[in-house]
């Protein structure tokens, strides 16, 4: 029994379908057949990244998925097509070889959901709310969930050998466990107070760029604003603006453009002021990086696991959320393959411990990066300061050295170990420095009405 029909729930359902006679996916919203927005996923209109490791896992679960995505309108590009402004300079372009798929979240969810619906042993119950898990009289095991279907007052109990909570950051599992007499699950927060907003604009005919997607990151701690352009289906750009520490990207039309004008580089603003909007501005707020430490709890009933944003929710500007959900589903798949018997005894404890270890590196790289802002509260041990110093040095070098940029890209996409950044060859590059190379060239945009002298290159 899987609670929640977002990416974490769909990926978990596919993993479970290889181990159980019947899998039931329960979702409170109505799940549309075609790409449509839904109430329970308000951030669906924002930019979402799915990293290369998750692309690989999902292709294994659903053979032909990404060709299906391309047919439906997904854009295929290489990491070398990405223009990235970070650390106050344009980074050297990564070497080719790391494929990206870019599309709206609605299209991605819709295509994957269509594949999930094809699983012969899976049932989807949408417009159905989980009231609480149902436990044995001695409270040592979960044996089902109590649900209420839409427009019905009465509840019913659905039996299950395993209950998976993939209901997102707003999961009610902490309260449910308290009601069973367990202590509140311990939480760690690193408050960053991000406000971000997105809208789609129609691509301007005839515009020429030497990139396919572009991201402008702030230089912490004195800058807080981010801007990005990404191609999506329907011959459109998805434009996303974000600001940390209360410097929120606005949902207002005029203020949205003014926010873009004040980014560290002009490219997003110049594109926005020329392109026709095809959607309203959709704003969303993200208060803090959050981890729930189920691995530290004792007494959690057998037959229960929690994954996805219900366990670890990271600053969305780093684009790790969906990928971590897919990795968690793959980890659950592995744990079930290692389970000695059909009984679920010990599975939850083993899974939550391994999941926590898996989250450690992403938490260190994501939430740890937010701690660069002095006003962000959180532990800053000596190793964190050393790590930030080395990371900052390598990021500066990445502006000049495509080999370093590529290494960073592989770590970011989870296809390479972070240990590669500490390899002697990387340390030697740090010691030697740029070796006379200049920083990455500023990306170029030329618009139909402009001459070369009026093209946008770089500022500052």
């Amino acid at each position: 029994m899987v609670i929640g029909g977002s990416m974490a729930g769909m990926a978990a359902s596919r993993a479970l379908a290889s181990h159980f006679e019947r899998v039931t996916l329960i979702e409170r919203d109505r799940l549309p057949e075609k790409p449509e927005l839904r109430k329970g996923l308000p951030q669906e209109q924002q930019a979402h990244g799915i990293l290369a490791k998750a692309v690989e896992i999902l292709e294994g679960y659903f053979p032909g998925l990404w060709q299906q995505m391309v047919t439906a309108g997904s854009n295929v590009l290489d990491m070398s097509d990405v223009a990235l402004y970070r650390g106050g300079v344009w980074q050297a372009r990564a070497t080719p070889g790391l494929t990206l798929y870019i599309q709206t979240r609605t299209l991605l969810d819709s295509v994957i959901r269509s594949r999930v619906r094809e699983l012969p042993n899976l049932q989807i119950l949408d417009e159905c709310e989980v009231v609480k898990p149902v436990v044995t009289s001695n409270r040592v095991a979960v044996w089902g969930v109590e649900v209420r279907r839409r427009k019905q007052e009465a509840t019913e109990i659905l039996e299950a050998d395993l209950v998976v909570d993939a209901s997102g950051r707003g999961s009610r599992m902490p309260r449910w466990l308290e009601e069973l007499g367990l202590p509140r699950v311990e939480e760690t927060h690193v408050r960053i107070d991000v406000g971000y907003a997105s809208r789609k604009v129609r691509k301007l005919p005839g515009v020429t760029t030497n990139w396919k997607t572009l991201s402008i990151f702030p230089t912490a701690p004195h800058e807080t604003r981010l801007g990005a352009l990404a191609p999506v289906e329907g011959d459109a750009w998805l434009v996303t603006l974000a600001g940390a520490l209360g410097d929120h990207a606005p949902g207002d039309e005029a203020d949205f453009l003014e926010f873009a004008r004040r980014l560290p580089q002009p490219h997003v603003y110049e594109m926005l002021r020329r392109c026709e909007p095809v959607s309203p501005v959709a704003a969303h707020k993200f208060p803090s990086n959050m981890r729930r430490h189920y691995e530290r709890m004792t007494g959690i009933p057998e037959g229960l696991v929690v994954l996805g944003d219900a366990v670890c929710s990271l600053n969305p500007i780093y684009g790790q959320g969906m990928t971590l959900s897919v990795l968690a589903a793959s980890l659950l798949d592995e744990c079930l393959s290692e389970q000695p018997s059909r009984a679920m005894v010990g599975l939850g404890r083993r899974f939550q411990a391994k999941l926590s270890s898996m989250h450690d590196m992403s938490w260190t790289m994501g939430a740890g990066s937010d701690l660069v802002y002095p006003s962000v509260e959180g532990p800053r041990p000596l190793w964190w300061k050393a790590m930030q110093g080395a990371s900052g040095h390598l990021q500066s070098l990445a502006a000049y050295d495509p080999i370093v940029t590529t290494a960073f890209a592989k770590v970011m996409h989870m296809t390479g170990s972070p240990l590669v950044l500490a390899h002697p060859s990387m340390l030697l590059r740090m010691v030697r420095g740029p070796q006379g190379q200049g920083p990455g060239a500023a990306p170029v945009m030329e618009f139909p009405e402009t001459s070369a002298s009026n093209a946008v290159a770089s500022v500052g």
Side-chain angles (χ1 to χ4, degrees), residues 202-254:
R202 197 179 314 282
K203 284 185 178 179
L204 188 66
V207 66
T208 302
T209 69
N210 64 352
W211 47 270
K212 292 184 179 178
T213 185
L214 176 146
S215 295
I216 300 169
F217 278 85
T219 302
H222 58 276
E223 293 175 348
T224 58
R225 294 187 174 187
L226 172 147
L229 286 166
V232 294
E233 63 274 14
D235 201 31
W237 292 103
L238 185 63
V239 182
T240 295
L241 306 177
L245 304 178
D247 183 21
H248 293 169
D252 174 81
E253 296 273 345

Side-chain angles (χ1 to χ4, degrees), residues 77-123:
L77 58 148
D78 190 89
M79 195 67 194
S80 59
D81 297 319
V82 177
L84 177 61
Y85 182 84
R86 185 174 58 193
V89 292
W90 290 102
Q91 304 285 289
R93 296 288 180 92
T95 53
L98 193 60
T99 303
L100 307 177
Y101 295 86
I102 299 181
Q103 59 284 307
T104 61
R105 176 66 184 272
T106 49
L107 179 67
L108 181 64
D109 274 20
S110 178
V111 173
I112 294 178
R113 189 159 52 241
S114 72
R115 298 296 296 269
V116 170
R117 290 185 192 275
E118 293 173 358
L119 296 171
N121 59 337
L122 183 132
Q123 176 188 21

Side-chain angles (χ1 to χ4, degrees), residues 176-189:
W176 288 336
L177 292 176
E178 277 191 293
E179 291 172 353
L180 293 175
L182 293 172
R184 185 79 174 185
V185 60
E186 183 181 341
E187 294 185 1
T188 299
H189 289 261

Side-chain angles (χ1 to χ4, degrees), residues 44-342:
E44 199 167 29
Q45 300 174 71
Q46 307 298 334
H48 286 78
I50 188 158
L51 306 182
K53 186 62 178 178
V55 167
E56 176 188 316
I57 293 170
L58 287 170
E59 180 66 22
Y61 279 151
F62 305 106
L65 172 68
W66 296 103
Q67 183 55 55
Q68 187 179 352
M69 288 295 308
V70 172
T71 301
S74 177
N75 293 267
V76 188
L77 58 148
D78 190 89
M79 195 67 194
S80 59
D81 297 319
V82 177
L84 177 61
Y85 182 84
R86 185 174 58 193
V89 292
W90 290 102
Q91 304 285 289
R93 296 288 180 92
T95 53
L98 193 60
T99 303
L100 307 177
Y101 295 86
I102 299 181
Q103 59 284 307
T104 61
R105 176 66 184 272
T106 49
L107 179 67
L108 181 64
D109 274 20
S110 178
V111 173
I112 294 178
R113 189 159 52 241
S114 72
R115 298 296 296 269
V116 170
R117 290 185 192 275
E118 293 173 358
L119 296 171
N121 59 337
L122 183 132
Q123 176 188 21
I124 294 179
L125 296 180
D126 59 354
E127 298 188 281
C128 184
E129 181 180 10
V130 175
V131 178
K132 63 181 179 180
V134 180
V135 299
T136 55
S137 58
N138 57 5
R139 300 185 177 183
V140 299
V142 171
W143 61 271
V145 292
E146 183 179 348
V147 301
R148 179 182 293 111
R149 299 179 192 251
R150 184 66 55 87
K151 299 179 181 178
Q152 293 184 9
E153 290 297 323
T155 64
E156 60 183 298
I157 292 176
L158 306 177
E159 296 185 17
D161 297 300
L162 180 67
V163 172
V164 177
D165 179 12
S167 59
R169 187 182 176 107
S171 164
R172 290 179 286 172
M173 190 59 67
R175 179 170 62 82
W176 288 336
L177 292 176
E178 277 191 293
E179 291 172 353
L180 293 175
L182 293 172
R184 185 79 174 185
V185 60
E186 183 181 341
E187 294 185 1
T188 299
H189 289 261
V190 173
R191 189 168 188 85
I192 188 62
D193 191 16
V194 170
Y196 54 105
S198 297
R199 81 177 322 168
K200 283 196 288 187
V201 298
R202 197 179 314 282
K203 284 185 178 179
L204 188 66
V207 66
T208 302
T209 69
N210 64 352
W211 47 270
K212 292 184 179 178
T213 185
L214 176 146
S215 295
I216 300 169
F217 278 85
T219 302
H222 58 276
E223 293 175 348
T224 58
R225 294 187 174 187
L226 172 147
L229 286 166
V232 294
E233 63 274 14
D235 201 31
W237 292 103
L238 185 63
V239 182
T240 295
L241 306 177
L245 304 178
D247 183 21
H248 293 169
D252 174 81
E253 296 273 345
D255 290 343
F256 188 80
L257 186 61
E258 177 61 18
F259 188 97
R261 190 178 72 82
R262 295 179 178 274
L263 289 170
Q265 293 291 308
H267 299 72
V268 174
Y269 169 74
E270 293 294 342
M271 188 71 80
L272 262 179
R273 76 183 185 90
R274 289 174 169 87
C275 291
E276 174 193 359
V278 292
S279 78
V281 179
H284 190 70
K285 294 181 181 179
F286 179 87
S288 66
N289 300 277
M290 181 274 295
R291 287 182 80 172
R292 293 190 176 112
H293 298 282
Y294 287 100
E295 78 282 0
R296 298 178 186 174
M297 291 187 70
T298 58
I300 295 180
E302 301 284 2
L304 174 67
V305 300
V306 189
L307 52 73
D309 279 0
V311 176
C312 183
S313 174
L314 289 169
N315 187 339
I317 72 168
Y318 302 120
Q320 299 179 91
M322 288 194 297
T323 299
L324 287 177
S325 292
V326 173
L327 285 168
S330 179
L331 178 62
L332 181 58
D333 196 344
E334 292 175 15
C335 288
L336 285 164
S337 296
E338 297 166 357
Q339 191 69 8
S341 69
R342 181 181 174 84

